[in-house]
């Protein structure tokens, strides 16, 4: 081989190697460009990191200016999430103040369960009475597996509406003001974290629900606000309420008719009228109450603590299997009360209630009371209370005058049992 031929072959090899390296580099770049682009968050209300699809109400026209009525935008976001989403869905009410008139989020939903509503900002009620055709402001209706959550606020703006509450003056011949939140026909659902402020009437009305967990709520209204029950439960089964702070102008929690298997624990109540079973028997279509437990709760400056109250009633029904246990009273006016003359003009006369109260336990209750009658069991002459237990009740009288006799008062009770430490003394 000549020197010229060898030199030509050398340069030809260099050229071939360079082309191969360039081709390989281009091939690598091409393959990289085919790799999926990472999903760094939701886009166009799509799912974020395999989480639920996000339906932000502002994407549907909601405006957080504290004056625009956002009812149309809220409903549109709910419709898209509940009816049209093919993945799990979350409706988000973001930071800001969103005003809305009477609103309903209704199912059943077509999206996979659960469906979530997360409240981050503040939802404010419209204060024009003509905007409410029913006594509810914000209703969740007919939903299986709802999660209502967030650190946001439902502000009922009750101060603007409370002067319209004339039920006492009209002796019940009045239209009810709207409840802030109504949970109606919910199953297997969770409500947690939210704040309810200054409801027009009930803060939370749980009705016709099954297997609902309610926790970590902050419910507040002035002590003189009318009928602002923190929570009213009726016609429901398997409701659990726990780890919440409730201070209102009426019952912190009231358990109404047709309820079964209600568990309430770790509630701080005050101001308010206590945690009550009842009132029961006002209407003829009411059904019995069976299975209520109230445990590890604290009452601060409330008018009542553990209370059961019935009207005289029209149809014989029962309130049975009720336990109040592990309660702390701090300057409570009436720590333990059974009142079967509730709503009667002759409340001082013997009760003739047709409701029967039985198998009731008041256990491990301690603290202070400002009433000299710390235990008051006023039952029906027609249906005396049966199976009442008072066990380890240790209360100190903190009222005035200090030398007042400290007593229990019992009327029309059968098989009453007094056990353990008893202050005041038994009947």
């Amino acid at each position: 081989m000549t020197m010229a031929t060898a030199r030509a072959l050398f340069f030809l090899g260099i050229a071939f190697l360079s082309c191969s390296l360039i081709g390989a580099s281009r091939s690598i770049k091409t393959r990289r460009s085919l790799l999926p682009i990472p999903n760094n968050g939701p886009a166009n209300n799509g799912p974020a990191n395999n989480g639920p699809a996000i339906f932000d109400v502002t994407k549907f026209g909601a405006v957080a200016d504290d004056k625009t009525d956002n009812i149309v935008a809220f409903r549109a976001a709910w419709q898209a999430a509940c009816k049209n989403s093919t993945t799990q869905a979350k409706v988000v009410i973001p930071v800001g103040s969103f005003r809305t008139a009477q609103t309903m989020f209704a199912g059943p939903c077509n999206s996979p369960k659960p469906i979530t509503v997360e409240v981050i900002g503040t939802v404010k009620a419209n204060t024009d009475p003509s905007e409410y055709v029913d006594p509810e402001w914000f209703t969740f209706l007919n939903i299986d597996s709802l999660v209502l959550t967030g650190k946001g606020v439902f502000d009922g703006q009750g101060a603007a509406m409370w002067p319209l509450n004339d039920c006492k003056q009209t002796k019940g011949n009045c239209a009810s003001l709207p409840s802030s939140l109504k949970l109606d026909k919910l199953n297997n659902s969770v409500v947690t974290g939210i704040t309810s402020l200054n409801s027009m009437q009930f803060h939370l009305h749980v009705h016709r629900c099954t297997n609902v967990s309610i926790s970590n709520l902050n419910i507040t209204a002035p002590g003189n606000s009318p009928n602002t029950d923190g929570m009213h439960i009726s016609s429901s089964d398997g409701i659990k309420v726990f780890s919440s702070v409730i201070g209102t102008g009426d019952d912190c929690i009231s358990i109404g008719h047709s309820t079964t298997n209600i568990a309430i624990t770790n509630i701080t109540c005050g101001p308010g009228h206590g945690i009550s079973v009842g009132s029961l028997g006002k209407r003829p279509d009411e059904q019995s109450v069976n299975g209520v437990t109230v445990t590890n709760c604290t009452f601060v400056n409330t008018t009542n603590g553990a209370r059961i109250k019935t009207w005289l009633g029209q149809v014989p029904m029962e309130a049975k299997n009720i336990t109040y246990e592990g309660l702390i009273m701090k300057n409570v006016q009436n720590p333990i009360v059974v009142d079967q003359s509730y709503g009667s003009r002759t409340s001082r006369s013997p009760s003739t209630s047709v409701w029967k109260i039985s198998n009731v336990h008041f256990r491990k209750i301690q603290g202070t009371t400002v009433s000299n009658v710390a235990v008051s069991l006023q039952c029906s002459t027609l249906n005396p209370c049966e199976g009442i237990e008072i066990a380890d009740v240790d209360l100190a009288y903190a009222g005035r005058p200090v030398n007042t006799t400290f007593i229990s008062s019992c009327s029309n009770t059968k098989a009453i049992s007094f056990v353990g430490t008893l202050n005041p003394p038994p009947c």
Side-chain angles (χ1 to χ4, degrees):
M1 178 184 298
T2 65
M3 184 63 67
T5 301
R7 186 177 295 132
L9 289 174
F10 173 79
F11 284 113
L12 181 62
I14 293 295
F16 177 80
L17 178 61
S18 298
C19 290
S20 298
L21 291 173
I22 292 171
S25 175
R26 288 177 178 173
S27 176
I28 292 171
K29 289 180 180 180
T30 300
R31 286 196 296 270
R32 284 178 177 171
S33 69
L34 294 177
L35 293 175
I37 299 174
N39 184 359
N40 293 319
N44 298 322
N45 295 324
N49 299 323
N50 297 319
I54 305 300
F55 296 82
D56 186 325
V57 295
T58 61
K59 304 299 183 182
F60 294 83
V63 180
D65 60 2
D66 200 21
K67 60 182 180 180
T68 300
D69 191 338
N70 291 293
I71 184 172
V72 174
F74 277 25
R75 289 177 177 175
W78 173 258
Q79 178 74 12
C82 171
K83 302 295 185 180
N84 300 331
S85 179
T86 58
T87 63
Q88 283 189 347
K90 177 192 288 188
V91 176
V92 174
I93 301 175
V95 172
S97 183
F98 298 87
R99 191 178 292 259
T100 181
Q102 189 165 26
T103 303
M104 178 180 289
F105 285 0
C109 292
N110 299 324
S111 57
K113 301 172 185 177
I115 185 167
T116 300
V117 176
E118 182 177 10
V119 182
I120 302 171
T122 297
V123 185
K124 282 191 174 181
N126 192 320
T127 56
D128 180 357
S130 66
E131 295 285 349
Y132 300 92
V133 297
D134 296 305
E136 292 91 29
W137 167 38
F138 212 113
T139 300
F140 296 88
L141 172 67
N142 194 24
I143 305 167
D144 189 20
S145 298
L146 169 73
V147 177
L148 173 59
T149 187
K151 299 300 182 182
V153 178
F154 285 92
D155 183 354
Q157 301 210 93
M161 300 285 274
W162 294 330
L164 303 179
N165 187 324
D166 61 351
C167 292
K168 286 187 177 180
Q169 289 78 3
T170 59
K171 298 178 182 179
N173 185 22
C174 59
S176 297
L177 294 177
S179 299
S180 278
L181 296 174
K182 185 170 185 180
L183 311 181
D184 193 356
K185 296 181 69 175
L186 299 190
N187 299 321
N188 309 312
S189 296
V190 173
V191 178
T192 186
I194 63 173
T195 292
S196 179
L197 174 66
N198 293 336
S199 62
M200 291 175 265
Q201 191 159 285
F202 297 162
H203 284 261
L204 192 64
H205 186 185
V206 181
H207 184 57
R208 301 188 295 180
C209 293
T210 303
N211 190 26
V212 176
S213 171
I214 302 170
S215 66
N216 297 297
L217 303 190
N218 184 9
I219 297 176
T220 183
N224 62 352
S225 54
N227 300 112
T228 54
D229 293 50
M231 187 181 308
H232 181 68
I233 305 170
S234 61
S235 302
S236 295
D237 175 70
I239 309 301
K240 296 179 181 179
V241 185
F242 57 97
S243 303
S244 297
V245 177
I246 304 174
T248 70
D250 211 301
D251 292 321
C252 290
I253 301 175
S254 56
I255 297 98
H257 65 88
S258 313
T259 53
T260 52
N261 303 313
I262 308 299
I264 298 168
T265 187
N266 194 25
I267 303 296
T268 298
C269 170
H273 296 178
I275 297 179
S276 301
V277 175
S279 62
L280 304 172
K282 186 176 182 179
R283 299 173 183 83
D285 60 343
E286 296 184 12
Q287 299 296 310
S288 296
V289 172
N290 183 6
V292 176
T293 61
V294 179
T295 57
N296 301 327
C297 296
T298 300
F299 301 80
V300 182
N301 299 322
T302 55
T303 57
N304 305 288
R307 178 166 64 156
I308 303 171
K309 49 182 177 174
T310 75
W311 294 66
L312 299 184
Q314 302 176 43
V315 178
M317 289 294 162
E318 295 183 89
K320 60 184 180 180
N321 302 321
I322 299 167
T323 298
Y324 287 92
E325 185 169 2
L327 310 183
I328 297 174
M329 307 287 173
K330 297 182 179 180
N331 294 330
V332 173
Q333 186 171 337
N334 303 298
I336 297 174
V337 181
V338 173
D339 177 9
Q340 291 211 258
S341 297
Y342 187 78
S344 173
R345 295 181 182 178
T346 57
S347 59
R348 294 180 181 272
S349 301
S351 170
T352 57
S353 176
V354 298
W355 276 68
K356 178 78 171 183
I357 296 175
S358 64
N359 193 25
V360 178
H361 308 272
F362 300 100
R363 298 170 175 156
K364 298 180 181 178
I365 298 174
Q366 60 182 323
T368 57
T369 172
V370 295
S371 171
N372 71 304
V373 184
V375 177
S376 178
L377 309 178
Q378 307 305 316
C379 300
S380 171
T381 58
L382 296 180
N383 287 300
C385 297
E386 291 189 9
I388 307 295
E389 179 190 28
I390 309 291
D392 294 314
V393 173
D394 190 6
L395 296 167
Y397 176 59
R400 296 290 184 271
V402 294
N403 60 351
T404 299
T405 304
F406 193 37
I407 64 171
S408 299
S409 176
C410 304
S411 177
N412 303 310
T413 57
K414 288 183 177 180
I416 188 168
S417 173
F418 290 94
V419 181
T421 302
L422 296 170
N423 288 305
C427 301

